[in-house]
Amino acid sequence: MKRIDTLLTPRAVAVVGASPRPGVVGGEIFRNIVHGGYHGAVYPVNPNHDQIEGVKCYPAVTQIPEPVDLAVIAVKRDLVLDVVRDCGAAHVPHLVVITAGFKESGEEGAQLENAMRAEAARFGIDLIGPNCMGIINSTPEVALNASFSRWFPKPGPIAFISQSGSLGETFLEFFDRMGLGVSLFVNLGNRAGLTENDLLAGLADDPRITTILLYLESFADPHELREIAARIGGTKHLLALKAGRTQAGAAAAASHTGALATPDAIVDAFLRQSGIIRVFSIEEALVALRAFSHPRIPRGRRVAILTNAGGAGIIATDACERTGLDVPRFSTATQAKLAEFLPPEASIGNPVDMIATAGADDYARALSVAIAETDAALVIFRPPIVLKDPVDQVAANIVRIATQFPDKPVVACTLSDSEFVAPFTTALTAAGIPVYTMPEDGVAALSVLHQANRALTAAAAVVDQFQPDHARAAAIIDRIRATGRETVSFADGAEILSAYGVPIAPYAYVDDAGFDTFMRDVGFPLAAKLDAPGLMHRFERGAVIIRINNRAGLDRAIAQLQVVAQRERLTNARILVQPMLSGRELIFGMKRDPVFGPVLMFGIGGTLVEALHDVSFGVAPVFPNQAEAMIRAIRAFPLLKAFRGQKAVAIRPLAMLIHRLARLSMAFPAIAEIDINPFIVGEGAQGAVDILMKLIT
Amino acid sequence: MKRIDTLLTPRAVAVVGASPRPGVVGGEIFRNIVHGGYHGAVYPVNPNHDQIEGVKCYPAVTQIPEPVDLAVIAVKRDLVLDVVRDCGAAHVPHLVVITAGFKESGEEGAQLENAMRAEAARFGIDLIGPNCMGIINSTPEVALNASFSRWFPKPGPIAFISQSGSLGETFLEFFDRMGLGVSLFVNLGNRAGLTENDLLAGLADDPRITTILLYLESFADPHELREIAARIGGTKHLLALKAGRTQAGAAAAASHTGALATPDAIVDAFLRQSGIIRVFSIEEALVALRAFSHPRIPRGRRVAILTNAGGAGIIATDACERTGLDVPRFSTATQAKLAEFLPPEASIGNPVDMIATAGADDYARALSVAIAETDAALVIFRPPIVLKDPVDQVAANIVRIATQFPDKPVVACTLSDSEFVAPFTTALTAAGIPVYTMPEDGVAALSVLHQANRALTAAAAVVDQFQPDHARAAAIIDRIRATGRETVSFADGAEILSAYGVPIAPYAYVDDAGFDTFMRDVGFPLAAKLDAPGLMHRFERGAVIIRINNRAGLDRAIAQLQVVAQRERLTNARILVQPMLSGRELIFGMKRDPVFGPVLMFGIGGTLVEALHDVSFGVAPVFPNQAEAMIRAIRAFPLLKAFRGQKAVAIRPLAMLIHRLARLSMAFPAIAEIDINPFIVGEGAQGAVDILMKLIT
């Protein structure tokens, strides 16, 4: 982990490539620092000028008479290496490289980027960029705009770390426009040096920052991110806008950043497991940040909606249901209290439509009655043409009641951006109540606050007490790897899995010594199959015979499978016998993703998975509660409840199974792939019926 | 259908309840008319004043010396009836009743509303309202703001019909803010008189209106709407924001407007069948209307994305895929053309990331190369800090190329609302190219334009040539109804359905004369079941025996079913025998919705429908192409393709089946419900295996 304190709060900054000419990036940065009111010393560096904007200009960083904490480099690409060496010689600890033309422009640029990284490392210099727009720290005692952004946000509890420069500036513009307090901005650019993880870790102990937004097109190191997020998630809210979500988008992101594309469902699972709230558009990110400027986290999903405009109440109710929030009908007692003062035209069930005549007192009384029964409130106030009370009085009343419920978020909507609502908006915003124009945005704000509640617990690292028999699994894996084989027999796979606590359906090989005992124990009906490493599509190749009802049938099946083994030239095939388990068929799987490592998969067997791709993912480690969330996330989850005469499936044991598969996969990097299909959960008996496991050879 | 021309273009307007006092609704309306520059004559009516704003005031409408086309009524509720009578006496053809306190306020108000409607009818007066905010016609030769809206939109090709007043005014404010040209606005309020259908029909022949937005919480008469939409959909684009989508939202809407709640999936199907484009939020409606100010309708879903900011291109690509648009990779030829002039750092596959150095010529060349290979283009231009060309030159180049492709929409995004982009936005907007700040909105615009392409064909009324045997079905239905029975036997249901061309699986009753012949024809295996009207849950009650493999088995089954019949006291039960068809199990159904009439349902049988509620709907009539869309709309649709050794199911015959079920349901209002579950499609054989039909008694 890198130290970022002097990067973000330098006492002296050099701008290499500063220029008096307009439209030159280094000049824009220098002017932004000077005009932004930076509290430290700033030194322009450019051999062609004596002074810029009245400030003495130095021919090289090494010539600056005082220590420099940060050098911002905006010279031509081919000069960057020399400047980095100068900075090394001058003991500059931090560089922000604005210059483009590196990895993003092809092979030659990539080589130059590597050389620059090596030079910086040689001098122990931390590097931001290259190909970035700079950094901003608007904290009053620093006031540094070391970027070429035209916007400089006011200070506040938000930090913004962006992989993209152009979108970064779009965000800065709207932070400014919305009056959002954003103290820190870092554009990572090509991310040759410091990553989002270094920045997050560096902000861990900064009490002024309570919310961090990441804009990412790829992850520098997802496991490091997860670890840091778990560490700081208790004190800070983390939000991520991850672009390249869809296949085409990922391809575009890959060509933009040279990053590997990962299925978006895995990214989704990963962020949820990390306790990072995902937002899906620039607008949603901005809506969320306004809510997180003074966040109150609701304990549940119940929302009270008050309105003086009926239609907006209906639209807000629709939006709540769409985003998973409840608009519960109020109790009779609450409705009676509302009926005491609201006119007969009002609706009192929730949403509470107080009609256009509602005044400041109505808002106060209705809010205090309604929010008592919910976890949050959305207050819609559109100033009517005939004002009963001044709008700031309505606002004051809402603030007064909201203050009495400090752990319940209150969000307001105005349905207007006009001068009529300005005093209302100003008063509420000043009191930390976010105000949105549209009801859908107000609901989106409540939804994201609700997600923050879930995020607090989602990342919790709970493990089970089960002690796997690591040595047993290791011995089998070593033995197979010694043969150079890639595929694992059923028996070996079953041994490895059961060493990690995965239940296996009863089985025996017909050539086992204990086969007769097994036959006495399990009885009929049975299934018999050929087990040979590398034998795929067993069903299609006649290597599975099911519904064997008696000994004669078993003998016939064995003879038949021997014929198949000969035909398929399977010299080391054995014949495996299992009882026919009946029950729900499940699929558990593991694949290694090049970015995320072991990714666990869960689905319901049969046509559903094949036709609907109805599976869910989890990135290892998958803690039991996260595994349970995975199981509940599939669309077909209702099939696991009591259904058509079958009892409900116990979810916890299945969650432990996923958790243990994840532990196994992390413990043995040699396991490339696991596929348990089907795993049958019957009444009583349950276990893996078929196992496909591949090793990395 | 009502005449609305003089309503919207009156030569003389009376404002009853006009007042010089501020904050009085009638006064606001009068001032809006006067200050809005209305071209006709306006007469304030109020017995307490001699003049208002320097205009002579009349004590009653009957005292006005000239004919009045429209009276706007904003008097106290208890005076409204008298004013309506006055208007009748003065031969005023149109009323807009602003006054509230009618149906929305309870029983007494509802009675008064009925009385008012009766009075208006007696005089042949058309009525808008009550409880509404008025009407607007901003066409230059009219310039009438007969509402208490604080905003008066500039004229243009859009009409807006809103059931809600407060949301209506929100829209008017944003029309104004966005410079959207909206000539007509009507707030329907309680809809006691004219409905959205009357307004739509009245606008049918107005060539100046090309796009109509409806905000609805309920439908006045959906079938009339569908008919009108089919009639005008070829020349005008229809958009609807339907609130009360979710269960809770519908409950809120029902209490707001007293309307019946319908499952939203049915509303969705209905709008699609009617060729009405559905938008889902206020923002989306506004985004769409900007695109429809100068609509170009794309022929397909392929979008080219050009950008000078990589991140925004990725976000736009994600958004395209999310909304069903394609961002196809360009052909090698197109990529080669782009590589001719773009720098090596650029991405040329699509999205085309031209990087920040792209100038006006790059935009022109890239757009002309890229759009040639797609149906539409999204052009993202964020003015970089170092401008190569003035932004208006970039805009001019985009306009020049867009003009060369008049049937392909071009939409632009700026990622900024600042003064730096203003000339760009102004130039493009003037040329009819919509400009959005955020890429997600630009994509939403293209998506809604693409939906307009589908809407053009979706509503087409195609019927099949099949002539049903109406008389045969009628005879059976009459016979059953004569007995007073509600449920229909399998044999009768099969007769009725086959009279309408629905294939029935082979069947015979064991007491049929031809049973032995049937047995010879079909062979084994068979299924046998009890058929008795009113016998439900046959499987659970042991009334179905499947997999009968020989004559002895059939005899046992018959004996067993007779025992069940006795136990269940089914005196009129018969035993039905069918061959065991194997193949895909489907479900077809029909229920009557109180608002929409016969609603057809389709799903795949088995656990999917039960657990996932994976069904789709269509409102009768369901034309064959609409029925095909219904079949393709279920999530499990891939199960009907070639799958696990089964051939693909032919979709057209299933679509015809739905179409004919819809015809049957419309032809016989006595049929309350039809449930064909399962309908089996096998290789060769197919047909309804079980039929449940209920009549209205």
Side-chain angles (χ1 to χ4, degrees):
Chain A
M1 231 45 81
K2 315 294 180 119
R3 294 187 58 223
I4 64 158
D5 47 356
T6 53
L7 164 71
L8 294 175
T9 59
R11 286 150 306 170
V13 176
V15 180
V16 191
S19 163
R21 272 182 294 141
V24 173
V25 166
E28 298 294 335
I29 295 171
F30 180 71
R31 276 184 293 279
N32 273 345
I33 294 175
V34 171
H35 298 313
Y38 174 49
H39 284 223
V42 56
Y43 303 101
V45 177
N46 190 329
N48 305 319
H49 298 282
D50 292 332
Q51 61 83 23
I52 297 174
E53 301 254 325
V55 181
K56 177 174 161 54
C57 188
Y58 295 87
V61 176
T62 44
Q63 305 297 307
I64 300 172
E66 286 179 89
V68 167
D69 294 324
L70 167 65
V72 182
I73 302 179
V75 298
K76 285 206 164 54
R77 186 184 77 161
D78 296 336
L79 302 175
V80 169
L81 265 189
D82 287 338
V83 173
V84 171
R85 285 188 201 108
D86 276 1
C87 290
H91 304 291
V92 178
H94 300 289
L95 297 187
V96 172
V97 182
I98 307 294
T99 311
F102 289 87
K103 193 176 70 184
E104 80 283 8
S105 69
E107 191 43 43
E108 192 193 334
Q111 282 176 15
L112 200 58
E113 187 166 315
N114 284 337
M116 174 177 68
R117 189 200 278 117
E119 279 303 295
R122 190 161 70 86
F123 291 106
I125 299 177
D126 278 345
L127 186 81
I128 294 269
N131 185 26
C132 80
M133 71 178 304
I135 65 171
I136 288 177
N137 182 349
S138 65
T139 313
E141 55 271 34
V142 181
L144 173 68
N145 182 1
S147 81
F148 57 86
S149 167
R150 285 162 281 204
W151 287 272
F152 188 50
K154 70 170 201 186
I158 297 166
F160 174 42
I161 300 167
S162 175
Q163 198 173 345
S164 163
S166 57
L167 280 183
E169 203 188 15
T170 294
F171 273 102
L172 291 173
E173 175 181 338
F174 286 89
F175 293 159
D176 188 59
R177 195 175 292 276
M178 294 173 167
L180 267 175
V182 181
S183 284
L184 299 174
F185 165 67
V186 176
N187 173 210
L188 299 170
N190 287 7
R191 214 163 46 181
L194 296 187
T195 69
E196 64 272 23
N197 297 337
D198 299 313
L199 272 299
L200 284 174
L203 294 175
D205 300 321
D206 187 337
R208 286 178 303 194
I209 299 298
T210 58
T211 297
I212 305 171
L213 171 68
L214 301 168
Y215 169 81
L216 294 176
E217 291 163 6
S218 63
F219 296 98
D221 178 340
H223 287 284
E224 193 182 46
L225 171 58
R226 185 167 171 182
E227 195 182 281
I228 297 166
R231 189 144 46 82
I232 69 179
T235 53
K236 298 189 199 308
H237 302 290
L238 304 177
L239 289 88
L241 177 60
K242 167 71 175 61
R245 295 178 55 212
T246 58
Q247 240 177 333
S255 76
H256 185 226
T257 63
L260 272 162
T262 298
D264 192 62
I266 297 176
V267 173
D268 217 49
F270 167 76
L271 290 173
R272 214 171 319 111
Q273 289 175 280
S274 306
I276 299 174
I277 299 163
R278 189 169 192 183
V279 289
F280 290 95
S281 69
I282 301 170
E283 287 279 356
E284 195 188 343
L286 292 168
V287 163
L289 288 183
R290 288 160 77 183
F292 280 106
S293 292
H294 297 84
R296 294 174 172 196
I297 308 305
R299 303 255 170 86
R301 54 178 81 243
R302 295 169 304 166
V303 177
I305 299 176
L306 311 184
T307 183
N308 66 347
I314 302 167
I315 282 187
T317 307
D318 281 350
C320 279
E321 289 225 341
R322 212 160 49 217
T323 54
L325 298 173
D326 287 344
V327 185
R329 200 166 172 76
F330 288 133
S331 66
T332 328
T334 294
Q335 294 199 32
K337 281 186 211 158
L338 291 167
E340 274 174 27
F341 60 94
L342 291 175
E345 294 91 326
S347 302
I348 52 176
N350 197 19
V352 182
D353 180 3
M354 309 191 288
I355 78 169
T357 51
D361 277 351
D362 297 315
Y363 271 91
R365 293 181 69 177
L367 180 56
S368 85
V369 168
I371 202 170
E373 203 170 303
T374 59
D375 304 300
L378 178 73
V379 181
I380 302 170
F381 173 68
R382 180 183 172 85
I385 194 83
V386 184
L387 270 181
K388 200 170 189 172
D389 302 303
V391 299
D392 48 1
Q393 193 182 325
V394 178
N397 277 10
I398 294 170
V399 169
R400 181 166 54 80
I401 304 300
T403 311
Q404 295 167 16
F405 295 87
D407 52 359
K408 295 188 176 184
V410 175
V411 160
C413 296
T414 54
L415 304 175
S416 172
D417 267 356
S418 70
E419 74 264 33
F420 305 108
V421 302
F424 178 83
T425 303
T426 307
L428 288 186
T429 307
I433 295 178
V435 183
Y436 300 91
T437 307
M438 298 302 178
E440 294 96 335
D441 286 341
V443 171
L446 288 175
S447 168
V448 86
L449 291 170
H450 175 247
Q451 287 172 57
N453 182 37
R454 287 191 313 179
L456 284 173
T457 54
V462 184
V463 289
D464 63 339
Q465 295 305 312
F466 175 78
Q467 286 302 327
D469 189 347
H470 183 85
R472 182 156 63 113
I476 301 165
I477 290 171
D478 288 346
R479 172 167 53 73
I480 302 166
R481 297 193 79 196
T483 69
R485 260 200 292 121
E486 197 185 32
T487 52
V488 176
S489 71
F490 180 89
D492 286 341
E495 280 282 291
I496 295 167
L497 290 179
S498 61
Y500 268 77
V502 174
I504 310 293
Y507 71 95
Y509 288 91
V510 296
D511 54 8
D512 276 347
F515 183 66
D516 290 335
T517 321
F518 169 80
M519 286 296 295
R520 268 196 304 278
D521 289 350
V522 297
F524 291 95
L526 292 173
K529 34 184 132 163
L530 278 182
D531 180 27
L535 173 64
M536 303 285 182
H537 307 296
R538 276 198 276 230
F539 248 104
E540 288 77 355
R541 291 159 87 172
V544 182
I545 296 169
I546 58 171
R547 293 208 195 90
I548 301 168
N549 288 320
N550 48 43
R551 185 71 219 197
L554 180 60
D555 291 340
R556 273 198 308 277
I558 290 171
Q560 207 174 319
L561 290 173
Q562 280 163 342
V563 171
V564 174
Q566 274 187 313
R567 189 191 69 209
E568 301 273 341
R569 297 206 178 85
L570 300 167
T571 46
N572 53 355
R574 296 174 76 196
I575 294 170
L576 178 74
V577 173
Q578 293 173 310
M580 296 283 299
L581 294 188
S582 69
R584 254 76 65 107
E585 294 191 11
L586 309 178
I587 299 180
F588 297 91
M590 186 281 291
K591 276 215 172 85
R592 280 183 197 274
D593 180 89
V595 174
F596 288 95
V599 174
L600 286 295
M601 189 271 274
F602 170 73
I604 294 189
T607 51
L608 281 167
V609 165
E610 277 186 63
L612 305 187
H613 306 292
D614 184 20
V615 295
S616 61
F617 297 100
V619 173
V622 184
F623 303 121
N625 54 331
Q626 298 177 339
E628 206 168 314
M630 263 178 80
I631 295 168
R632 291 180 192 282
I634 59 166
R635 290 202 300 261
F637 178 71
L639 291 176
L640 299 184
K641 298 185 186 169
F643 187 74
R644 287 200 167 175
Q646 293 186 292
K647 278 189 200 153
V649 170
I651 303 305
R652 196 68 187 174
L654 302 181
M656 294 314 283
L657 197 166
I658 295 173
H659 167 66
R660 289 170 189 177
L661 277 181
R663 284 172 73 178
L664 173 66
S665 311
M666 290 193 300
F668 294 100
I671 303 178
E673 204 178 321
I674 303 173
D675 195 17
I676 305 178
N677 180 10
F679 181 99
I680 293 184
V681 190
E683 320 254 312
Q686 66 170 48
V689 172
D690 215 344
I691 299 166
L692 196 84
M693 196 182 285
K694 281 192 189 170
L695 301 183
I696 293 160
T697 49
Chain B
M1 231 47 81
K2 315 293 180 122
R3 294 187 58 223
I4 63 158
D5 48 355
T6 53
L7 164 71
L8 294 175
T9 59
R11 286 151 307 169
V13 175
V15 180
V16 190
S19 161
R21 273 182 293 141
V24 174
V25 166
E28 298 293 337
I29 294 171
F30 180 71
R31 276 184 293 281
N32 273 346
I33 294 175
V34 171
H35 300 313
Y38 175 48
H39 284 224
V42 55
Y43 302 100
V45 176
N46 189 330
N48 305 322
H49 298 281
D50 292 334
Q51 60 85 22
I52 297 173
E53 301 256 324
V55 181
K56 177 175 161 54
C57 190
Y58 295 86
V61 176
T62 45
Q63 306 297 306
I64 299 172
E66 284 180 89
V68 166
D69 295 324
L70 167 65
V72 182
I73 301 178
V75 297
K76 285 205 164 56
R77 187 184 74 161
D78 296 336
L79 301 175
V80 170
L81 265 190
D82 287 338
V83 172
V84 171
R85 285 189 202 107
D86 277 1
C87 290
H91 304 291
V92 178
H94 299 288
L95 298 187
V96 171
V97 182
I98 306 293
T99 311
F102 289 87
K103 193 176 70 184
E104 80 282 8
S105 70
E107 192 44 44
E108 192 193 334
Q111 281 175 15
L112 200 58
E113 186 165 315
N114 285 337
M116 174 177 67
R117 189 199 278 117
E119 279 303 295
R122 190 162 70 86
F123 291 106
I125 298 177
D126 278 344
L127 186 82
I128 295 268
N131 185 24
C132 79
M133 71 179 303
I135 65 171
I136 288 176
N137 183 348
S138 66
T139 314
E141 55 272 34
V142 181
L144 173 68
N145 182 0
S147 81
F148 56 86
S149 167
R150 285 163 282 205
W151 287 272
F152 187 50
K154 70 170 201 187
I158 296 166
F160 174 42
I161 300 167
S162 175
Q163 199 174 344
S164 163
S166 57
L167 280 183
E169 203 188 15
T170 294
F171 272 101
L172 291 173
E173 174 181 339
F174 286 89
F175 293 159
D176 189 59
R177 194 176 293 276
M178 294 174 167
L180 267 175
V182 181
S183 284
L184 299 174
F185 164 67
V186 176
N187 174 210
L188 299 169
N190 287 8
R191 215 162 46 182
L194 296 187
T195 68
E196 63 272 24
N197 297 338
D198 299 313
L199 273 300
L200 283 174
L203 295 174
D205 300 321
D206 187 337
R208 285 178 303 193
I209 298 297
T210 58
T211 297
I212 304 171
L213 171 67
L214 301 168
Y215 169 81
L216 294 176
E217 292 163 6
S218 63
F219 296 98
D221 179 339
H223 287 284
E224 193 182 45
L225 171 58
R226 185 167 171 182
E227 196 182 281
I228 297 166
R231 190 145 46 83
I232 68 178
T235 54
K236 299 189 199 307
H237 302 290
L238 304 178
L239 289 88
L241 177 60
K242 168 70 175 63
R245 295 178 56 213
T246 57
Q247 241 176 333
S255 75
H256 184 226
T257 63
L260 270 162
T262 298
D264 192 62
I266 296 176
V267 173
D268 217 50
F270 167 77
L271 290 173
R272 215 172 317 112
Q273 289 175 280
S274 305
I276 300 175
I277 299 163
R278 189 169 194 183
V279 289
F280 291 94
S281 69
I282 300 170
E283 287 280 355
E284 195 188 344
L286 292 168
V287 163
L289 288 182
R290 288 160 76 183
F292 280 105
S293 291
H294 296 85
R296 294 173 172 197
I297 308 304
R299 302 258 170 84
R301 56 177 81 242
R302 295 169 306 165
V303 178
I305 300 177
L306 311 184
T307 182
N308 66 347
I314 301 168
I315 282 187
T317 306
D318 280 350
C320 280
E321 290 225 342
R322 211 160 49 218
T323 55
L325 298 172
D326 287 345
V327 185
R329 200 166 170 75
F330 289 133
S331 66
T332 328
T334 294
Q335 294 200 31
K337 280 186 211 159
L338 291 168
E340 274 174 27
F341 60 94
L342 291 175
E345 294 91 326
S347 302
I348 51 178
N350 197 18
V352 182
D353 179 3
M354 309 192 288
I355 75 168
T357 51
D361 278 351
D362 296 316
Y363 270 91
R365 293 181 70 177
L367 180 57
S368 85
V369 168
I371 201 170
E373 203 169 305
T374 59
D375 305 299
L378 179 73
V379 180
I380 302 170
F381 173 67
R382 180 184 172 84
I385 194 82
V386 183
L387 269 181
K388 200 170 190 173
D389 301 304
V391 300
D392 49 0
Q393 193 181 325
V394 178
N397 276 11
I398 293 170
V399 169
R400 180 165 54 79
I401 304 300
T403 311
Q404 295 167 17
F405 295 88
D407 52 358
K408 296 188 176 185
V410 175
V411 160
C413 296
T414 54
L415 305 176
S416 171
D417 267 356
S418 70
E419 75 264 32
F420 305 108
V421 302
F424 179 83
T425 303
T426 306
L428 288 186
T429 307
I433 295 177
V435 183
Y436 300 91
T437 307
M438 297 302 178
E440 294 97 335
D441 287 341
V443 171
L446 287 175
S447 168
V448 86
L449 291 170
H450 175 247
Q451 288 172 56
N453 182 37
R454 288 190 313 180
L456 283 173
T457 53
V462 184
V463 290
D464 64 340
Q465 295 305 314
F466 176 77
Q467 287 301 327
D469 189 347
H470 184 84
R472 182 156 63 111
I476 300 165
I477 290 170
D478 288 347
R479 172 167 52 75
I480 302 166
R481 296 192 80 195
T483 69
R485 259 199 292 121
E486 198 184 31
T487 53
V488 177
S489 71
F490 179 88
D492 285 341
E495 281 282 293
I496 295 166
L497 290 178
S498 61
Y500 268 76
V502 174
I504 310 293
Y507 70 95
Y509 288 93
V510 296
D511 54 8
D512 275 347
F515 184 66
D516 291 334
T517 319
F518 171 81
M519 286 296 296
R520 268 195 304 278
D521 289 350
V522 299
F524 290 94
L526 292 173
K529 33 184 132 164
L530 279 182
D531 181 28
L535 173 64
M536 303 283 183
H537 307 296
R538 277 197 275 231
F539 248 104
E540 288 77 355
R541 292 159 85 173
V544 181
I545 296 168
I546 58 172
R547 293 208 195 91
I548 301 168
N549 287 320
N550 48 43
R551 185 70 218 197
L554 179 61
D555 291 340
R556 273 198 306 277
I558 291 171
Q560 207 174 320
L561 291 173
Q562 281 162 342
V563 171
V564 173
Q566 274 187 311
R567 191 192 66 209
E568 300 274 341
R569 298 205 177 84
L570 301 167
T571 47
N572 54 353
R574 295 174 75 196
I575 294 170
L576 178 75
V577 173
Q578 293 173 310
M580 296 283 299
L581 294 189
S582 70
R584 254 76 64 108
E585 294 190 12
L586 309 178
I587 298 179
F588 297 91
M590 187 281 292
K591 277 214 171 86
R592 279 183 199 275
D593 180 89
V595 174
F596 288 95
V599 175
L600 285 296
M601 189 270 274
F602 170 73
I604 293 188
T607 51
L608 281 167
V609 164
E610 277 186 63
L612 306 187
H613 307 291
D614 184 20
V615 295
S616 60
F617 297 100
V619 174
V622 184
F623 303 122
N625 55 330
Q626 299 177 337
E628 205 169 315
M630 264 178 79
I631 295 168
R632 291 180 192 281
I634 59 165
R635 289 202 301 261
F637 178 72
L639 290 176
L640 299 185
K641 297 185 187 171
F643 188 73
R644 286 199 168 175
Q646 292 184 296
K647 276 188 202 153
V649 169
I651 303 305
R652 198 67 187 174
L654 302 181
M656 294 314 283
L657 197 166
I658 294 174
H659 167 66
R660 289 170 189 177
L661 276 181
R663 284 173 71 179
L664 172 67
S665 311
M666 290 193 301
F668 294 100
I671 303 178
E673 205 178 320
I674 303 172
D675 195 18
I676 305 178
N677 181 9
F679 181 99
I680 294 184
V681 190
E683 320 253 313
Q686 66 171 48
V689 171
D690 215 343
I691 299 166
L692 196 84
M693 196 181 286
K694 281 192 188 170
L695 301 183
I696 293 160
T697 48

